[in-house]
């Protein structure tokens, strides 16, 4: 009977029935209801079904099929001509079925919930180790298999950061994951959240005609979110292996940081676009010395160094055109010219002189990267 019920639902393991059939037979014969211990046993069988990978629907169908087959063979039903006896037996059996199935599903649900939490913990630990890049390489490669990742391939990392609200990332990650999987396939693709940002990893050789790059895809999908604030996306360069993933992530993370410090207008930042800034930051004592030597005297100006530094930044962004600088700063040309002259007087460097312009521009970029004058310059060690 139990094996027949198992075949009815595609071979679900018979062991999941446990003492269920005797409970039904006892209920039909005596009307006895299962006690708490017996129902707890059914709950454990529900947990076992989840551990075996049996779907909740199949487990429930097994119990219903077994009840149907048992009912057809119960002596109280087959031999009795008393309809009242049959009704009483049916009520008792249905009551057991109801309680047993409910407890089975409860046990199954609890087990699945714990398994999901455990899988999420493993996934988050794996992502942290992968992006950190200091874990065992062989171990990472083995742990990557359940997530469909081949650490032998070249991968690239993209980071998406909301302009202000950190909770936007959690709300957006589901929709973004579906879009990335549809774009690059369900192998070697990973989308998660970390430190309030969305992390997306795809193979570097993904080529989808007409779909653009990974960064373009993220920006387009994030732009479709309801009440979503502006996003900035940074994409690291592709590298092979698990260390390559960490390296690409570090480039993307550094790109987001630099974009904020430099106040870049472009919402899509590619690591190769920031190489010159990385060169500037490679020797912080040297760039700090440059900032101090070239721009340090701006702190003596009325209102501090901030307004004059903003003028220089707009001047270089405008291609050293005074009229365009005035338009961007909402000032008169005369006011901008006065500020540029004041800068030359205080620093000894004339930003309008082509021979000195590069030095001043490099110092301005260094100041933005180091957060000066809002933060003190790093001391020379």
């Amino acid at each position: 009977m139990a094996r027949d019920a198992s075949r009815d639902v595609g071979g679900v393991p018979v062991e999941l029935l446990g003492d269920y059939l005797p409970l039904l037979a006892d209920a039909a014969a005596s009307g006895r209801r299962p006690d708490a211990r017996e129902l707890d046993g059914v709950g454990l069988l529900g947990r076992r079904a989840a551990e075996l990978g049996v779907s909740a629907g199949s487990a429930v169908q097994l119990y219903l099929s077994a009840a149907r087959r048992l009912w057809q063979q119960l002596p109280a039903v087959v031999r009795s001509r008393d309809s009242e006896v049959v009704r009483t037996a049916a009520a008792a059996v249905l009551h057991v079925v109801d309680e047993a199935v409910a407890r089975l599903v409860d046990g199954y649900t609890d087990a699945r919930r714990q398994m999901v939490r455990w899988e999420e913990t493993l996934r988050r630990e794996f992502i942290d180790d992968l992006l950190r890049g200091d874990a065992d390489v062989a171990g990472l490669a083995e742990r990557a298999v359940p997530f469909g990742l081949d650490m032998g391939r070249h991968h690239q990392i993209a980071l998406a950061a909301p302009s202000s609200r950190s909770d936007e990332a959690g709300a957006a990650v589901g929709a973004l994951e579906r879009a990335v999987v549809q774009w690059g396939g369900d192998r070697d693709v990973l989308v998660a959240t970390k430190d309030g940002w969305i992390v997306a990893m795809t193979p570097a050789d993904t080529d989808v005609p007409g779909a653009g790059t990974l960064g373009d895809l993220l920006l387009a999908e994030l732009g479709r979110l309801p009440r979503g604030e502006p996003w900035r996306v940074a994409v690291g360069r592709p590298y092979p292996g698990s260390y390559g993933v960490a390296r690409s992530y570090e480039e993307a993370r550094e790109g987001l940081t630099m974009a904020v410090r430099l106040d870049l207008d472009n919402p899509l930042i590619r690591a190769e676009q920031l190489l010159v800034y990385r060169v500037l930051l490679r020797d912080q004592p040297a760039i700090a010395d440059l900032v101090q030597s070239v721009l340090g005297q701006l702190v003596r100006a009325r209102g501090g160094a901030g307004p004059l530094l903003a003028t220089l930044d707009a001047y270089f962004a405008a291609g050293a055109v005074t009229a365009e600088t005035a338009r961007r700063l909402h000032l008169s040309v005369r006011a901008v010219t006065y500020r540029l002259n004041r800068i030359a007087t205080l620093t000894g460097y004339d930003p309008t002189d082509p021979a000195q312009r590069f030095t001043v521009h490099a110092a301005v970029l260094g100041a933005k990267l180091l957060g000066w004058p809002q933060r003190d310059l790093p001391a020379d060690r």
Side-chain angles (χ1 to χ4, degrees):
M1 185 183 308
R3 296 188 182 280
D4 291 337
S6 173
R7 284 192 293 270
D8 289 343
V9 291
V12 174
V14 176
E15 66 177 272
L16 297 180
L17 288 172
D19 295 329
Y20 173 62
L21 289 177
L23 287 178
L24 293 179
D26 196 11
S30 65
R32 187 182 73 85
R33 296 185 177 183
D35 57 30
R37 179 186 59 80
E38 292 168 327
L39 290 176
D40 288 342
V42 176
L44 292 176
L45 293 171
R47 298 183 65 86
R48 180 59 178 161
E51 294 168 357
L52 292 174
V54 177
S55 70
S58 296
V60 170
Q61 288 177 6
L62 173 67
Y63 271 55
L64 296 180
S65 178
R68 177 179 58 81
R69 287 185 173 276
L70 177 69
W71 178 256
Q72 294 171 348
Q73 299 180 32
L74 283 173
V77 176
V78 175
R79 300 173 186 174
S80 178
R81 296 183 179 180
D82 189 339
S83 59
E84 184 62 31
V85 172
V86 174
R87 281 195 298 269
T88 301
V93 169
L94 289 175
H95 186 84
V96 174
V97 171
D98 181 60
E99 287 192 321
V101 168
R103 190 59 63 91
L104 179 80
V105 172
D106 285 345
Y108 186 97
T109 302
D110 288 342
R112 283 300 304 164
R113 189 179 297 113
Q114 291 181 9
M115 291 167 66
V116 168
R117 283 199 295 263
W118 174 243
E119 290 169 358
E120 182 59 29
T121 299
L122 293 179
R123 185 173 187 266
R124 186 165 297 279
E125 290 177 351
F126 168 73
I127 292 172
D128 289 342
D129 291 342
L130 180 64
L131 298 181
R132 192 167 54 244
D134 58 357
D136 173 57
V137 175
L140 272 179
E142 183 178 348
R143 291 163 61 192
V145 173
F147 301 104
L149 302 178
D150 179 4
M151 290 291 94
R153 299 182 67 180
H154 285 64
H155 292 90
Q156 62 181 341
I157 293 290
L159 291 179
S163 59
S164 60
R165 294 199 301 267
S166 59
D167 59 341
E168 286 287 322
V173 68
L176 209 57
E177 184 172 21
R178 289 189 294 272
V180 172
V181 169
Q182 184 177 5
W183 177 77
D186 58 358
R187 296 287 300 177
D188 284 290
V189 167
L190 189 65
V191 180
T193 59
K194 182 174 175 61
D195 300 328
W197 295 342
I198 296 177
V199 183
M201 184 180 85
T202 63
D205 55 3
T206 300
D207 184 13
V208 183
T213 66
L214 175 61
D216 295 325
L217 173 74
L218 297 188
L219 274 180
E221 291 299 321
L222 291 169
R224 295 189 181 98
L225 295 177
R227 69 179 183 83
E229 296 201 3
W231 289 75
R232 179 175 276 132
V233 175
V235 184
R237 289 175 293 177
Y239 298 99
S242 57
Y243 284 135
V245 172
R247 185 176 178 185
S248 183
Y249 168 74
E250 183 59 27
E251 286 187 351
R253 191 181 66 83
E254 191 176 56
L256 283 180
T257 302
M258 287 187 180
V260 172
R261 288 187 180 181
L262 296 170
D263 194 25
L264 300 180
D265 294 331
N266 192 348
L268 179 57
I269 310 299
R270 294 182 175 86
E272 55 268 24
Q273 297 173 330
L274 300 176
L275 291 178
V276 64
Y277 305 115
R278 297 183 67 192
V279 171
L280 287 174
L281 281 177
R282 189 161 295 169
D283 189 348
Q284 281 204 18
I287 194 63
D289 186 31
L290 176 67
V291 173
Q292 182 61 48
S293 299
V294 176
L295 304 175
Q297 292 302 313
L298 295 182
V299 298
R300 296 170 49 200
R302 181 181 300 175
L308 296 182
L309 195 62
T311 301
L312 285 173
D313 186 37
Y315 180 69
F316 293 127
V321 178
T322 305
E324 176 61 17
T325 305
R327 187 189 67 81
R328 294 189 180 197
L329 294 175
H330 305 289
L331 297 173
S332 67
V333 173
R334 182 178 179 180
V336 171
T337 302
Y338 170 80
R339 288 189 181 187
L340 293 175
N341 291 334
R342 182 63 175 155
I343 290 169
T345 300
L346 288 171
T347 66
Y349 289 89
D350 184 358
T352 65
D353 183 352
Q356 301 181 37
R357 187 176 299 154
F358 176 78
T359 300
V360 180
H361 194 183
V364 170
L365 291 177
K368 294 182 71 174
L369 288 171
L370 297 176
W372 184 85
Q374 291 78 16
R375 290 197 295 266
D376 293 335
L377 294 173
D380 189 3
R381 295 180 180 179

